[in-house]
Amino acid sequence: AVRLPALIVAAGAQAERRFLEFFAAQIRNPGTRAVYARAVARFCRWCEQRALSLPQVTPLLVAAYIEQLTHERAAPTVKLHLAAIRMLFDYLVTGQVLPFNPAAPVRGPKHVVTKGKTPVLTAEEARQLLDSIDSSTIVGLRDRALIGVLVYSFARVSAAIGMNVEDYCPQGRRMWFRLHEKGGKFHEVPAHHNAEAYLDAYVEGAGIREEPKSPLFRTVSRERTLTPRRMHLADVLRMIKRRARSAGLPTRIGCHTFRATGITAYLQCGGLLEHAQRIA
């Protein structure tokens, strides 16, 4: 059962229904849904601590909340929270739960990005990382295969961990990756020969080739064996930090590092920008 915020429950059945519809039907991406749900839940708790009802939420109160949040979180995070609150109230207004959107006139903090912040590894560092992974264990095979997919296919992490076994498949004489992108779309990319070698070793070692509908990249149990469960972004980030430390690389690298690393290396080796854009 879904536990609704007291602020929404107190507003009546129509507010409850509209709140659930907002997250279930209006927001289709699971990652966005989870982030927006946390942002909205935090705002609802703030209102409840002040004994506010939903009709009592005004632009001044939303502005006060955003101002407080600005002192606690980074500007991009504050802007994301405000966007979530604004979208929810829009949906409540169109559902005739509220007469107007109290978050509409509120402005978030200024945030100007003048330089990309995604850490990028050199080709040598990426090779150092991949070579440092112990491929004698199933966990090592999995981690090397996942990082290989990210580097050589320029895939988003969410697209890579969204793959099933059948999404690593032959087309003609080559193996291809079928990546699950936003909006339920698929993006197919030919497998680089290194990534293909990593995937073949992992799939064979895991014994999952005959399970086409199951997750390709899976979590690990306490016994260090694969489970049937799909990896999440948090699992991947922890793995990357751990592998970076073991390889003697900066632990500031994150999930998006390998996408940026692959594109950078491709361009440095003479690849065309338009080709990189098409692959990515």
Side-chain angles (χ1 to χ4, degrees):
V2 178
R3 184 177 179 182
L4 299 178
L7 182 75
I8 300 298
V9 173
Q14 176 70 356
E16 291 183 16
R17 182 180 67 83
R18 200 67 179 167
F19 183 88
L20 290 172
E21 285 179 352
F22 173 70
F23 287 103
Q26 187 73 4
I27 303 177
R28 298 302 307 147
N29 182 273
T32 304
R33 184 184 297 135
V35 171
Y36 275 31
R38 288 193 292 270
V40 166
R42 193 184 193 283
F43 175 70
C44 288
R45 287 195 300 271
W46 186 86
C47 292
E48 292 158 12
Q49 290 167 359
R50 288 155 180 78
L52 296 170
S53 66
L54 195 60
Q56 289 177 317
V57 178
T58 63
L60 183 61
L61 288 169
V62 176
Y65 172 74
I66 294 301
E67 181 63 26
Q68 178 181 318
L69 196 61
T70 300
H71 296 291
E72 301 172 5
R73 303 291 180 89
T77 301
V78 177
K79 292 174 75 70
L80 185 149
H81 279 238
L82 178 57
I85 295 166
R86 188 180 288 140
M87 282 184 63
L88 172 64
F89 276 118
D90 268 342
Y91 204 70
L92 294 177
V93 169
T94 57
Q96 300 182 341
V97 174
L98 292 172
F100 69 95
N101 183 344
V106 180
R107 293 292 171 261
K110 290 185 178 180
H111 175 63
V112 179
V113 177
T114 57
K115 184 179 179 181
K117 293 185 178 181
T118 301
V120 178
L121 299 177
T122 64
E124 291 74 19
E125 288 174 329
R127 171 53 55 194
Q128 177 183 337
L129 176 60
L130 288 165
D131 289 345
S132 72
I133 298 175
D134 180 6
S135 58
S136 67
T137 69
I138 190 60
V139 178
L141 289 173
R142 180 203 66 178
D143 294 353
R144 187 179 64 171
L146 176 53
I147 293 174
V149 171
L150 297 176
V151 170
Y152 290 111
S153 73
F154 312 164
R156 294 181 177 84
V157 176
S158 58
I161 60 177
M163 293 173 67
N164 292 330
V165 175
E166 65 182 357
D167 293 320
Y168 174 55
C169 55
Q171 289 189 28
R173 297 181 179 181
R174 300 192 63 175
M175 296 297 289
W176 287 63
F177 301 135
R178 185 187 301 115
L179 302 169
H180 297 238
E181 299 289 355
K182 295 179 180 180
K185 298 178 181 179
F186 293 102
H187 175 52
E188 295 184 335
V189 180
H192 185 279
H193 62 273
N194 286 340
E196 183 177 340
Y198 298 153
L199 260 295
D200 285 342
Y202 165 60
V203 171
E204 290 301 324
I208 57 177
R209 194 174 294 279
E210 303 306 319
E211 303 174 26
K213 300 295 183 182
S214 64
L216 179 57
F217 296 110
R218 308 175 180 202
T219 59
V220 177
S221 69
R222 292 181 179 178
E223 292 74 31
R224 310 304 289 169
T225 60
L226 292 181
T227 75
R229 296 188 297 275
R230 190 182 305 278
M231 292 181 76
H232 293 282
L233 288 174
D235 301 320
V236 179
L237 181 59
R238 284 193 296 268
M239 179 271 285
I240 289 171
K241 298 290 188 183
R242 185 176 70 253
R243 294 298 183 186
R245 280 194 300 271
S246 298
L249 295 173
T251 55
R252 60 186 175 84
I253 65 174
C255 292
H256 296 292
T257 291
F258 302 106
R259 175 176 165 88
T261 296
I263 293 173
T264 301
Y266 175 81
L267 295 175
Q268 289 176 342
C269 290
L272 298 177
L273 179 59
E274 54 266 34
H275 291 173
Q277 290 174 328
R278 188 161 58 247
I279 295 171

